């Protein structure tokens, strides 16, 4: 039947006009309203202008136990959902919403079907008819503790993204920041809005692979059992800065889906660079102190003081440098000479396989150091000298080392003067390859401590020979 026939008109179908399929029945407005009310997460009831209950949804039934059939048509809450002593006050507060603008929020106790009491928080507002006059009032309510939990969650979320003293970033399933708090934006060195939607590779110079791997693991497996420490490099106007972030991760899932659907990852981090560096420095200091102690015990068992000097050199080399060598001043250090200083090689670490440093220099031939060599500068200054090849091609770096009579893989050098009893006895040189960092001031302090022990041993060796 055509739409016109269903509407009651008497027109006829033409000879070439096909029969129209019958349209499915449209849902009734009352059925649609009932489905919407029953699907709500909040309990809802409504009253007409006389205070008679007209609507009651499933959530209201769940909280109080009264079914819609038992609730609809009752006059107010008196005697069944509210104690008789409280009924007048409760109904007056609810129905007052018909005369007040906007929504009214109240808290009071309702009775369950089993006789228990439930403290609820209500939001009520007027329902107006076609003429604009109040025709009733609707009331949405929920248990107070559930409402408080929701408010706490919202307050916590807002506090994390405004006042938290650590970085908070919400990362979506594509591993792009979706929400960033002020602390995280400062740590990344960029504005809060400029971070959103950008790949992490554009925000960090180093450490991106490790961070993305952690985020992907959280999306797939869930939150790790403990925080993780990740080293990253952040781009700043002053250049790249290496930072250590202690990170915690939580997987975010939608509470509205029937099955957990990952929305992304909550990433919380705190900068622990200073504490981590202090921890590393303390660990390094303990190791070096232990090495000095072990070297002193081993050197005390040597009959030849010159051998004791090489033992101090070998123990100092562990974890500190790749190569080391000792040069002593040629001639008698007790006599002053106006001529140029000459240095004779006493000991050096093996160039091939690792092993003890052999003693050399019995012939007394001076090392062919050019003028201005760091070893000569060290003798002249009577203090430590650091040298580095800098950023040059590998071939030039090798030639730089060979020109200074050092192994070809050396790119960083530290020379410490050997002094004992007010005399300069020589120089100890520590060398690092390209896989290590430059020597720092703390390294020079350690080298000077080792140099004092080597100088004492060499001075004793010279005294015994004399």
């Amino acid at each position: 039947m055509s739409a016109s026939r269903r509407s009651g008109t008497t027109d006829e179908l033409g000879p070439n006009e096909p029969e129209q399929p019958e349209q499915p029945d449209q849902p009734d407005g009352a059925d649609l309203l009932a489905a919407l009310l029953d699907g709500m997460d909040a309990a809802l009831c409504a009253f007409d202008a006389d205070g008679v209950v007209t609507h009651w949804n499933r959530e209201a039934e769940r909280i109080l136990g009264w079914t819609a059939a038992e609730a609809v048509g009752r006059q107010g809450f008196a005697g069944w959902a509210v104690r008789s002593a409280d009924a007048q006050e409760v109904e007056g507060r609810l129905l007052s919403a018909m005369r007040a603008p906007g929504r009214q929020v109240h808290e009071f106790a309702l009775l369950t079907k089993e006789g228990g009491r439930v403290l609820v928080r209500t939001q009520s507002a007027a329902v107006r008819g076609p003429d604009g006059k109040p025709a009733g009032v609707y009331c949405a309510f929920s248990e107070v503790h559930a409402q408080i939990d929701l408010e706490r969650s919202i307050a916590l979320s807002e506090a994390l993204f405004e006042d938290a003293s650590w970085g908070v970033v919400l990362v979506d399933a594509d591993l792009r920041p979706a929400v960033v708090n002020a602390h995280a934006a400062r740590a990344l060195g960029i504005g809060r809005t400029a971070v959103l939607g950008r790949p992490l590779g554009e925000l960090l110079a180093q450490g991106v692979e490790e961070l993305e791997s952690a985020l992907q693991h959280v999306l797939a497996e869930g939150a790790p059992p403990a925080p993780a420490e990740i080293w990253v490099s952040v781009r700043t106007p002053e250049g790249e800065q290496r930072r250590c972030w202690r990170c915690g991760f939580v997987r975010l899932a939608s509470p509205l889906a029937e099955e957990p659907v990952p929305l992304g990852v909550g990433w919380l981090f705190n900068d622990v660079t200073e504490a981590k560096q202090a921890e590393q420095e303390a660990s390094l200091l303990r190791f070096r102190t232990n090495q000095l102690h072990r070297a002193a015990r081993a050197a005390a068992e040597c009959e030849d003081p010159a051998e004791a000097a090489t033992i101090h050199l070998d123990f100092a080399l562990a974890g500190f440098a790749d190569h080391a060598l000792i040069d002593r001043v040629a001639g008698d250090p007790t006599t002053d000479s106006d001529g140029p200083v000459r240095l004779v090689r006493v000991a050096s670490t093996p160039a091939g396989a690792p092993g003890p440093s052999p003693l050399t220099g019995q012939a007394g031939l001076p090392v062919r150091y050019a003028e201005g060599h760091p070893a000569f500068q060290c003798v002249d200054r009577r203090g430590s000298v650091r040298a580095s090849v800098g950023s040059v091609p590998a071939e030039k770096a090798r030639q730089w080392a060979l020109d200074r009579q050092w192994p070809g893989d050396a790119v960083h050098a530290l020379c410490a003067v050997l002094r004992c009893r007010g005399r300069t006895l020589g120089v100890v040189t520590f060398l690092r390859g390209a896989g290590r960092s430059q020597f720092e001031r703390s390294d020079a302090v350690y080298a000077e401590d080792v140099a004092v022990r080597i100088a004492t041993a060499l001075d004793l060796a010279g005294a015994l020979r004399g």
Side-chain angles (χ1 to χ4, degrees), residues 229 231 244-246 270-277:
E229 293 179 353
W231 283 92
C244 180
W245 290 344
R246 181 169 294 158
N270 191 25
D271 194 321
V272 294
T273 307
E274 295 182 1
K276 201 66 179 176
Q277 290 176 343

Side-chain angles (χ1 to χ4, degrees), residues 34 38 40 84 92 94 117 124 140 154 161 164 169 173 197 228 232 238 263 267-268 310 344 376 393 406 411 421 446:
D38 286 339
M40 294 178 62
S84 300
L94 289 177
R117 300 184 69 192
S124 54
I154 296 174
F161 287 105
V169 181
V232 300
E238 295 78 18
L263 297 178
W267 168 32
L268 296 84
T310 62
V344 178
F376 289 151
W406 293 334
V411 296
R421 294 192 293 169
Y446 178 62

Side-chain angles (χ1 to χ4, degrees), residues 30 95 137 182 197 256 266 282 294 303 330 352 374 383 386 397 402 419 421 445 466:
L95 297 179
V137 62
L256 304 179
R294 294 174 59 196
E303 295 183 2
R386 287 176 285 172
L402 296 178
R419 287 184 60 82
R421 294 192 293 169
V445 172

